[in-house]
Amino acid sequence: MGTFDLKILATNKVFYDGKCKMLVVPALDGELAVMADHQNMVVATTIGDIRFQDDQSDEWHTAVVGIGFVHIANNRVTMLVDTAERPEDIDEVRAREAYERALEQLQQKQSIQEYHVSQASLARAMHRLKKGTRKIVD
Amino acid sequence: MASTREIQIRRKSIQDTMKITNAMYMISSTKLRKARANLEETEPYFFTLQSLVTNIMQRLPDVEHEFFGERTNKKPEDKVRGYIVISADKGLAGAYNHNILKFAQDQISQWKHYKLFVVGRAGRHYLRNRGIPLARHFHYAAQNPSLHRARIISETVMEQYRSGELDEIYIIYTYMKNSMTTETKMTRLLPFLPENFKQDGVESVQPWEGNDNGMFHGELLLKPSPNAVLDNILPDCVMGYIYGALIEAFCSEQSARMMAMEAANKSAAEMIHDLSIEYNRVRQAMITQEITEVISGAKAQKKKKKAKKKEEK
């Protein structure tokens, strides 16, 4: 199986930089898999999971990502997302707090713009809660 | 000449002030270091974003998007311009706040319609005292720039842009030209101009090495649709730029405060030096005077004795 270069960049860190055999991302209209020598394109992605296989093993690495896009050009794939976390790094306590805070905010009277912000943070928190494997931390 | 006691009191008070300025200097330098580290962590993302966006824009098929193109339905003088002004929460930072607010005032005085979005308490007080209306003030954002704050600010202005309340959006902030000098600067955020989205003083960074830089030069496919992709990317660009500007401004503020405090420390040390010399002079003068008094007293006594002896003879 051929490989391609992959970079996953989140706003606060470089999440992954290396070779990859296959990458699956949550596009707006369903999942999209990228393999070596893919057609050049740009895909918008939404909150969800990505998974990819590096060139060392057949194991799938998974991550929870926020909104972003994937840029595929000349067998080089750049994925830009606002957040990217491994499931084991998700702090369930924090995610739950964020979830509750977002819920509370949604119950308040808000402007449309505030509503969008709270709704987005609610979606983020819910997804992180669903995927987080790290249980209670003290 | 002041008495020694007065000079001592004054010297003590200068020393106390110096303790404060010294502490503020140290706090600013730690904060600056922290903010710089923060900026470095986010740099790969935003630089890549900028170069990818420029690349995408060049290959873009003809699309209509609300973020592109000048709004032609209004005359330039009737357009409502939104200004995001980033000031500090505290003073004592030299001319930092003054520069940015002066610049903002010059800008708004050119137009009939404007809206000000102010970050930082110093800016709010200044403008309110001059009776300039603020559209919105963002609390606490200047102190601790975070992505969350940047997101709130960008959502606010973009919402107004979409609804037609604002026709153009500018951001006014201070950036660090190099580690010593800072400069006030204005950039147009919307309508979108890709070349505006490069931070100054930074060479454009390509995500990939090699001749083609991982950029394509042929046909470009945007999925699910060009508009959906732009909808995802552009708000991020705006938000990213605001975030970058917040951090740049925060670094500039800390550096301005560091320099102001350094100058204060220096002049305090100078004043203490001058006062010590004056104190010594006064003390010496007092001693001299006392000695003169003692001597002249003794001399007078001697004369008296001599006169008495003569009389007895």
Side-chain angles (χ1 to χ4, degrees):
Chain A
M1 212 200 292
T3 59
F4 57 91
D5 294 314
L6 171 68
K7 270 190 189 180
I8 301 174
L9 304 175
T11 42
N12 56 353
K13 62 179 178 263
V14 177
F15 184 77
Y16 182 78
D17 185 0
K19 294 270 179 203
C20 171
K21 277 194 278 197
M22 184 159 154
L23 167 75
V24 182
V25 296
L28 295 183
D29 47 3
E31 283 196 326
L32 178 107
V34 179
M35 294 173 76
D37 300 313
H38 196 280
Q39 183 189 6
N40 293 347
M41 65 185 215
V42 176
V43 193
T45 62
T46 178
I47 297 169
D49 308 324
I50 57 165
R51 42 185 202 281
F52 58 93
Q53 280 179 309
D54 61 30
D55 59 336
Q56 304 297 329
S57 65
D58 278 338
E59 213 181 309
W60 286 97
H61 302 276
T62 55
V64 178
V65 295
I67 287 176
F69 68 100
V70 182
H71 181 274
I72 307 163
N74 307 335
N75 215 22
R76 284 162 164 175
V77 179
T78 317
M79 181 171 198
L80 288 177
V81 285
D82 58 1
T83 56
E85 285 171 300
R86 290 182 302 167
E88 57 266 37
D89 287 341
I90 289 178
D91 186 336
E92 196 148 327
V93 177
R94 263 194 57 204
R96 181 162 299 283
E97 276 168 8
Y99 170 75
E100 277 158 13
R101 198 166 50 234
L103 269 187
E104 269 169 32
Q105 278 166 356
L106 278 175
Q107 281 162 1
Q108 311 282 329
K109 211 171 188 179
Q110 286 181 316
S111 68
I112 293 175
Q113 161 253 325
E114 283 167 337
Y115 176 78
H116 284 315
V117 173
S118 329
Q119 208 181 32
S121 36
L122 182 68
R124 267 198 301 277
M126 276 170 75
H127 196 79
R128 292 173 71 223
L129 266 182
K130 205 168 83 194
K131 291 295 163 183
T133 51
R134 198 171 102 187
K135 294 295 171 196
I136 308 296
V137 269
D138 42 26
Chain B
M1 220 182 238
S3 75
T4 51
R5 189 159 169 70
E6 272 166 9
I7 294 175
Q8 261 177 324
I9 289 171
R10 191 153 153 63
R11 201 165 63 170
K12 179 88 188 355
S13 98
I14 292 172
Q15 266 165 350
D16 288 348
T17 313
M18 207 172 156
K19 272 180 203 154
I20 297 171
T21 55
N22 230 335
M24 279 180 78
Y25 174 82
M26 278 189 314
I27 292 167
S28 298
S29 66
T30 352
K31 276 191 180 165
L32 179 66
R33 210 173 311 132
K34 218 177 102 193
R36 280 250 179 86
N38 216 335
L39 187 64
E40 260 162 40
E41 269 172 21
T42 56
E43 270 172 355
Y45 175 85
F46 290 118
F47 290 159
T48 313
L49 184 68
Q50 278 155 17
S51 63
L52 290 186
V53 164
T54 321
N55 180 244
I56 293 169
M57 293 305 154
Q58 284 161 0
R59 317 272 149 226
L60 205 61
D62 273 339
V63 283
E64 291 274 310
H65 194 273
E66 51 180 354
F67 285 172
F68 289 130
E70 309 283 330
R71 289 201 175 154
T72 45
N73 55 351
K74 281 185 189 168
K75 279 184 240 153
E77 62 267 29
D78 287 336
K79 282 187 177 170
V80 184
R81 289 166 170 80
Y83 292 95
I84 303 171
V85 182
I86 304 178
S87 68
D89 273 341
K90 281 183 271 183
L92 290 178
Y96 174 80
N97 282 314
H98 178 79
N99 285 347
I100 196 102
L101 295 168
K102 192 92 191 135
F103 190 91
Q105 255 190 321
D106 285 349
Q107 286 300 324
I108 57 173
S109 61
Q110 298 171 22
W111 309 108
K112 235 186 324 179
H113 306 288
Y114 58 83
K115 274 188 169 183
L116 282 174
F117 300 86
V118 180
V119 176
R121 208 168 50 193
R124 181 181 48 167
H125 283 308
Y126 178 91
L127 295 168
R128 189 187 278 157
N129 285 345
R130 275 155 193 76
I132 299 168
L134 303 181
R136 171 129 187 221
H137 173 255
F138 299 99
H139 287 271
Y140 314 120
Q143 261 314 307
N144 200 358
S146 69
L147 268 178
H148 179 67
R149 303 267 181 232
R151 208 174 270 145
I152 291 174
I153 296 171
S154 70
E155 273 285 334
T156 311
V157 291
M158 280 194 288
E159 174 65 33
Q160 300 206 4
Y161 180 81
R162 283 197 195 98
S163 65
E165 281 175 64
L166 290 174
D167 298 306
E168 285 176 7
I169 296 169
Y170 297 86
I171 183 162
I172 301 174
Y173 67 103
T174 316
Y175 79 100
M176 298 197 70
K177 217 168 163 191
N178 52 50
S179 58
M180 288 312 283
T181 45
T182 57
E183 212 172 89
T184 311
K185 167 174 184 215
M186 183 172 88
T187 306
R188 189 171 90 175
L189 290 177
L190 289 174
F192 195 78
L193 292 171
E195 63 268 25
N196 271 357
F197 279 73
K198 290 205 170 80
Q199 298 270 7
D200 279 85
V202 184
E203 291 293 305
S204 101
V205 179
Q206 301 293 349
W208 301 100
E209 279 140 34
N211 307 337
D212 57 358
N213 293 325
M215 298 298 166
F216 37 63
H217 303 286
E219 215 27 33
L220 165 63
L221 189 69
L222 295 145
K223 263 192 139 182
S225 70
N227 263 329
V229 172
L230 291 177
D231 274 340
N232 253 31
I233 297 174
L234 292 182
D236 251 19
C237 271
V238 175
M239 193 269 286
Y241 198 91
I242 293 176
Y243 180 60
L246 279 176
I247 291 194
E248 280 283 344
F250 187 67
C251 284
S252 309
E253 180 198 335
Q254 296 307 333
S255 130
R257 181 162 299 130
M258 256 172 78
M259 275 191 279
M261 289 305 120
E262 211 182 341
N265 273 341
K266 230 167 131 188
S267 43
E270 224 166 77
M271 278 167 88
I272 288 178
H273 175 75
D274 289 352
L275 283 176
S276 328
I277 289 177
E278 202 186 332
Y279 172 77
N280 287 342
R281 278 207 189 114
V282 172
R283 198 175 61 117
Q284 193 56 55
M286 264 169 61
I287 293 169
T288 318
Q289 202 187 341
E290 263 170 46
I291 291 175
T292 328
E293 275 165 14
V294 170
I295 291 174
S296 56
K299 227 176 180 175
Q301 286 288 332
K302 237 181 180 173
K303 264 187 183 165
K304 236 180 168 179
K305 262 186 185 167
K306 251 186 185 168
K308 234 182 180 176
K309 262 185 184 170
K310 256 185 189 167
E311 251 173 49
E312 276 172 12
K313 273 181 186 173

